[in-house]
Amino acid sequence: MAHDVNTKTAVKNAYRITKVRGKTALRIRIPGGCLHAKHFDLLKHLAEVYGDGLVHLTTRQGLEISGLDYAGIPEINRLIMPLLQDLEIGIGVEIHDPAKGYPSAGTRNIAACIGSRVCPFANYDTTSLAQRIEKEIYPNDYHVKVALTGCPNDCIKARMNDFGIVGMVEPQYDYQRCIGCEACVKNCASQVTGALSMHKGKVKRDKRRCIGCGECILKCPTAAWTRNPAKFYDILIMGRTGKKNPRIAEEFIQWADEDVVVQVIKNTYKFIDEHIDKSLPKEHIGYIVDRTGYPVFRDKVLEGVKLNSGARVAKHVQWGGCRYSSDVFLSD
Amino acid sequence: MGWKFTEAAFKDLIVKLKADYTILGPKRFVGQGRFSDTDLIRYDEIESLDEIVWNEKSTFSPKEVVFPITQTLFYFIEEKFLEPKLDENKILIFLRPCDINGIRRLDTIHLRNGPQSDSYYAQLRERVRFVMMECMEGFDTCFCVSMKSNITSDYDMAVRFGDDEVLAEVKNDDFTRYFSLDLPRVEFTPGFVQENTIKVTVPDGGEISAGIYNHDMWNEYKSRCIACGRCNTTCITCSCHTTTDIFYDDNMRAGERRRTWACCHVDGFTDMAGGISFRKDNGSRMRFKVLHKIYDYNKRFGEHMCVGCGRCDDNCPEYISYSSCINRLSQVIQETDACVKIP
């Protein structure tokens, strides 16, 4: 059977060109990885009636329904309207014609750990922030990966993303309430960065070492350590996987507030517009920054951004990462 | 007889009382709870009626008002010493009956345990007056009725908070000069919780045999308890402290003597000279605390130390239920007949 499929259109519409001739797979975006159980009925219907009965959990917390016919795309797009309505339009994303399915797929689903709705370690509601960022950047088609994690444990592996947003909390210390039990100090030394030390029965915090994880607050039996209710974030940039130079993201802005996070990610699209190599079918943001250098990226994405007091911007960024080398092996 | 205050009239009373009293009550610290986006409720000075959180249980008890977490006893320099200047304001605390009964236990420990009363405690405690917040139902972890601490008459004023009014019983005549006597009189005496969901059977009146100290039931807590001390710090009756001389960094001939809360569950509590310490496993710390609360304090003073406020159960990160432990202990005593009754 002859297929006449515009693969460019299909891919932009969130359908994958699969290894099975004539069959495609649809990626459902789930910003923040949080899905209302009511949608399972529709997903089951799609997979069983139009696909091969399987639903794959994607690495970025989406769902991929495989074994679909290319010819069925228009009908499937109409069927998934309730998902677009609830998961995209419902959170403020502008989609002009929801009956035509996803308008783009380059900017990947925003992944997030379960966050403060459930996890005691999380320093913010990752689902809500994922939805806010989705609203600001989708449906852009540039290849950008954003992941949000509630604390530096980084369960979502935000460091493998172009933007990894790590929750920070500023611990506030009440000297009078401290009983010197050392729970925070011992824990910080063994689990974190050793930013706390005992001094005459009380605790000292080295601000430069503190990464704002909030473990001291969790451990304190007297609420001598409490939360500054304001939310802060560590913005990590340009981590990636891939065949060329996989690497973990490094710190860009520490102690940023939420508006700074959102504006920086938004401005990144202007930076891409200016610097992307237009001769290529697509170019990954990290490699664009490699070409321009960090200062060019920094200055562009900070344009018009009002940095909150306390936010610290990296002077230099030194990415490491691995490069595949043929020199390391004992034999050819 | 009582008085019926409109909300506005009671607010006004608080403003007037503040001229002579420092007023403390359970207060909400928004966003400052242990976990993100949670609140902390603890005792602190209140500026107005609106700040009193009367319909939730505070995480920490009011004991820190009469028994500060950190207290400087005196400063020293060379051969001289100086006691800190005392705040002369009287103190008014809004609290529940269980906590009033709890503070009576703190009084016993600090003032009537041995020949010497604790003067530092006494000089703070004698400035304190109570406003009892009526507590008719308690909360889901409370067992004050089992501990016979649901009722008290030790207060200057008792209040029932309504939607837009406050009913008050005023026992201290001195308070009447702070509000208009034209306010309506009502029949009001406070009620008390008559039954909690949680009922605790306390092994009562007997000598506990040595077998109980080594019983297998405590071993479970060796691994369950993480020795964080939250049961101690939130308890209204835990009264242990440690005393330390602090020498100032800039001049080691000056400093202060300070006392700080100490917790029998936390490492270091039993440290002695020579590196000796006792109750190294957390199971024996649990046993020590439980038996102190419902056995040896009672032997010495004729009532149980625990008042059943349930804060230890509310705050244990490992979900260890102290009230369940007491019930289990009673059952073990019954089953093993390890408790020799003394008439």
Side-chain angles (χ1 to χ4, degrees):
Chain A
M1 183 183 168
H3 298 282
D4 184 24
V5 176
N6 183 333
T7 59
K8 304 289 183 296
T9 311
V11 167
K12 201 176 176 206
N13 205 188
Y15 291 89
R16 184 199 291 269
I17 311 306
T18 72
K19 63 179 277 194
V20 183
R21 193 80 189 158
K23 295 292 182 186
T24 182
L26 168 67
R27 282 205 306 277
I28 307 286
R29 293 176 79 85
I30 306 172
C34 189
L35 179 72
H36 199 288
K38 69 185 176 192
H39 295 303
F40 283 120
D41 291 341
L42 174 57
L43 294 163
K44 179 174 187 283
H45 178 74
L46 284 171
E48 287 183 348
V49 177
Y50 296 84
D52 53 17
L54 298 175
V55 178
H56 175 74
L57 306 180
T58 76
T59 59
R60 300 201 63 80
Q61 298 184 320
L63 295 171
E64 187 156 344
I65 301 170
S66 53
L68 305 169
D69 290 329
Y70 287 103
I73 287 178
E75 191 182 344
I76 292 164
N77 280 344
R78 278 193 299 279
L79 280 171
I80 62 169
M81 270 174 69
L83 291 168
L84 264 73
Q85 185 60 47
D86 192 42
L87 295 168
E88 301 293 342
I89 299 165
I91 61 169
V93 174
E94 279 181 36
I95 294 178
H96 294 303
D97 191 352
K100 291 194 169 153
Y102 290 101
S104 74
T107 289
R108 300 298 201 250
N109 187 45
I110 299 176
C113 72
I114 197 163
S116 69
R117 293 183 185 183
V118 176
C119 178
F121 293 97
N123 290 320
Y124 71 103
D125 181 344
T126 50
T127 312
S128 293
L129 184 55
Q131 291 172 347
R132 182 177 168 196
I133 296 173
E134 174 84 349
K135 180 183 142 200
E136 298 291 344
I137 65 174
Y138 189 72
N140 266 298
D141 201 32
Y142 288 134
H143 194 131
V144 177
K145 289 171 178 161
V146 180
L148 312 185
T149 200
C151 78
N153 279 346
D154 192 10
C155 295
I156 199 70
K157 296 158 191 72
R159 278 194 189 265
M160 303 305 290
N161 286 258
D162 302 314
F163 285 94
I165 310 301
V166 184
M168 299 182 87
V169 59
E170 185 191 32
Q172 304 173 131
Y173 184 62
D174 184 338
Y175 184 92
Q176 294 294 324
R177 293 191 72 80
C178 177
I179 59 169
C181 70
E182 303 187 34
C184 58
V185 175
K186 287 177 185 166
N187 181 71
C188 193
S190 71
Q191 304 293 320
V192 200
T193 58
L196 304 177
S197 57
M198 290 304 295
H199 182 71
K200 300 190 176 172
K202 301 287 184 180
V203 180
K204 289 210 159 180
R205 168 174 165 252
D206 180 346
K207 279 189 189 176
R208 290 175 60 87
R209 269 196 191 182
C210 176
I211 56 167
C213 68
E215 290 255 354
C216 48
I217 302 163
L218 295 173
K219 297 289 173 199
C220 182
T222 57
W225 287 113
T226 53
R227 290 174 181 275
N228 175 346
K231 302 274 197 298
F232 299 101
Y233 305 87
D234 200 3
I235 306 177
L236 310 170
I237 54 165
M238 307 307 144
R240 63 191 171 205
T241 55
K243 301 181 185 90
K244 206 169 166 186
N245 169 223
R247 65 186 187 192
I248 60 166
E250 296 291 342
E251 261 170 327
F252 173 33
I253 309 178
Q254 215 183 40
W255 300 106
D257 69 15
E258 191 178 308
D259 289 341
V260 170
V261 170
V262 173
Q263 286 169 44
V264 159
I265 296 175
K266 263 181 90 171
N267 284 350
T268 297
Y269 288 86
K270 294 180 197 159
F271 167 83
I272 298 174
D273 256 339
E274 267 178 38
H275 296 282
I276 194 166
D277 182 347
K278 295 199 169 68
S279 70
L280 301 170
K282 69 172 186 181
E283 193 180 24
H284 193 280
I285 168 70
Y287 293 102
I288 305 175
V289 177
D290 286 353
R291 201 170 55 243
T292 66
Y294 163 72
V296 174
F297 166 80
R298 177 191 61 204
D299 295 345
K300 183 68 192 175
V301 301
L302 286 179
E303 259 179 31
V305 174
K306 193 170 170 281
L307 282 177
N308 55 297
S309 76
R312 298 197 301 196
V313 181
K315 212 188 291 178
H316 316 285
V317 180
Q318 294 277 342
W319 285 281
C322 73
R323 291 188 181 274
Y324 294 97
S325 162
S326 56
D327 299 336
V328 299
F329 302 104
L330 287 169
S331 59
D332 282 345
Chain B
M1 284 294 274
W3 302 85
K4 185 174 175 177
F5 289 78
T6 60
E7 198 183 300
F10 200 82
K11 280 184 174 170
D12 188 54
L13 168 65
I14 287 189
V15 171
K16 294 210 167 73
L17 281 167
K18 279 183 75 71
D20 299 315
Y21 290 90
T22 300
I23 303 182
L24 296 111
K27 185 167 153 180
R28 181 181 303 278
F29 293 79
V30 176
Q32 293 186 50
R34 186 176 302 283
F35 307 120
S36 183
D37 304 310
T38 62
D39 300 340
L40 168 67
I41 301 172
R42 66 167 173 84
Y43 274 74
D44 196 32
E45 185 166 354
I46 57 134
E47 296 301 324
S48 87
L49 175 66
D50 302 328
E51 288 183 328
I52 300 176
V53 183
W54 55 271
N55 49 5
E56 286 176 59
K57 199 198 294 185
S58 59
T59 299
F60 293 95
S61 82
K63 83 173 165 190
E64 55 197 64
V65 179
V66 293
F67 173 43
I69 299 173
T70 302
Q71 187 174 20
T72 298
L73 306 183
F74 55 81
Y75 303 95
F76 52 81
I77 179 161
E78 305 269 338
E79 303 299 314
K80 296 207 170 83
F81 72 92
L82 175 71
E83 290 193 341
K85 193 171 166 234
L86 275 183
D87 186 348
E88 298 200 341
N89 247 11
K90 288 178 279 185
I91 298 169
L92 205 57
I93 314 180
F94 281 76
L95 72 182
R96 294 172 198 285
C98 58
D99 286 339
I100 293 178
N101 283 315
I103 290 179
R104 186 153 50 84
R105 269 68 164 178
L106 295 177
D107 292 347
T108 302
I109 285 288
H110 288 97
L111 305 174
R112 291 186 286 280
N113 184 24
Q116 197 70 37
S117 73
D118 185 323
S119 62
Y120 300 102
Y121 181 86
Q123 64 192 12
L124 184 51
R125 178 66 179 89
E126 66 195 16
R127 286 159 45 211
V128 173
R129 295 283 177 276
F130 297 139
V131 178
M132 188 190 80
M133 301 191 292
E134 183 185 58
C135 187
M136 299 279 274
E137 311 216 332
F139 301 92
D140 62 354
T141 54
C142 298
F143 52 101
C144 55
V145 176
S146 298
M147 301 315 296
K148 301 185 180 70
S149 61
N150 52 324
I151 296 170
T152 182
S153 58
D154 179 16
Y155 53 83
D156 283 10
M157 182 158 68
V159 291
R160 174 187 295 171
F161 293 108
D163 285 339
D164 45 15
E165 62 176 33
V166 179
L167 301 184
E169 180 197 7
V170 180
K171 293 212 296 195
N172 181 345
D173 287 341
D174 182 49
F175 280 17
T176 54
R177 63 193 175 91
Y178 295 97
F179 60 88
S180 162
L181 300 180
D182 296 334
L183 284 174
R185 302 302 307 260
V186 284
E187 281 299 329
F188 172 68
T189 47
F192 297 96
V193 191
Q194 294 305 319
E195 192 179 6
N196 305 119
T197 316
I198 292 180
K199 292 170 182 64
V200 168
T201 309
V202 187
D204 229 352
E207 190 81 25
I208 289 179
S209 79
I212 288 300
Y213 291 85
N214 301 318
H215 194 276
D216 190 46
M217 72 169 276
W218 307 112
N219 289 334
E220 180 185 325
Y221 300 106
K222 277 185 186 173
S223 59
R224 286 183 69 193
C225 172
I226 57 167
C228 71
R230 281 174 222 183
C231 52
N232 295 133
T233 58
T234 57
C235 176
I236 177 76
T237 68
C238 272
S239 49
C240 289
H241 63 255
T242 187
T243 304
T244 323
D245 285 346
I246 305 294
F247 299 87
Y248 297 145
D249 284 349
D250 290 342
N251 180 359
M252 294 290 276
R253 295 169 75 83
E256 66 184 74
R257 177 161 297 180
R258 171 197 289 170
R259 69 182 181 192
T260 319
W261 287 0
C263 302
C264 60
H265 269 267
V266 170
D267 289 350
F269 183 77
T270 60
D271 284 359
M272 292 173 69
I276 302 165
S277 62
F278 306 94
R279 298 191 297 275
K280 286 178 188 166
D281 75 85
N282 300 342
S284 41
R285 294 177 194 182
M286 183 72 177
R287 182 204 67 220
F288 175 80
K289 178 190 71 188
V290 168
L291 292 181
H292 185 49
K293 296 291 179 193
I294 51 101
Y295 178 63
D296 41 68
Y297 180 97
N298 181 40
K299 264 172 77 178
R300 187 167 171 84
F301 299 111
E303 65 179 348
H304 288 301
M305 191 175 204
C306 172
V307 294
C309 74
R311 287 189 179 94
C312 48
D313 280 23
D314 295 330
N315 289 292
C316 178
E318 299 297 322
Y319 281 91
I320 291 171
S321 165
Y322 159 87
S323 55
S324 305
C325 180
I326 303 176
N327 279 332
R328 199 168 158 199
L329 175 64
S330 294
Q331 206 184 341
V332 165
I333 288 173
Q334 216 173 18
E335 281 166 9
T336 58
D337 199 24
C339 185
V340 185
K341 288 281 176 195
I342 294 176

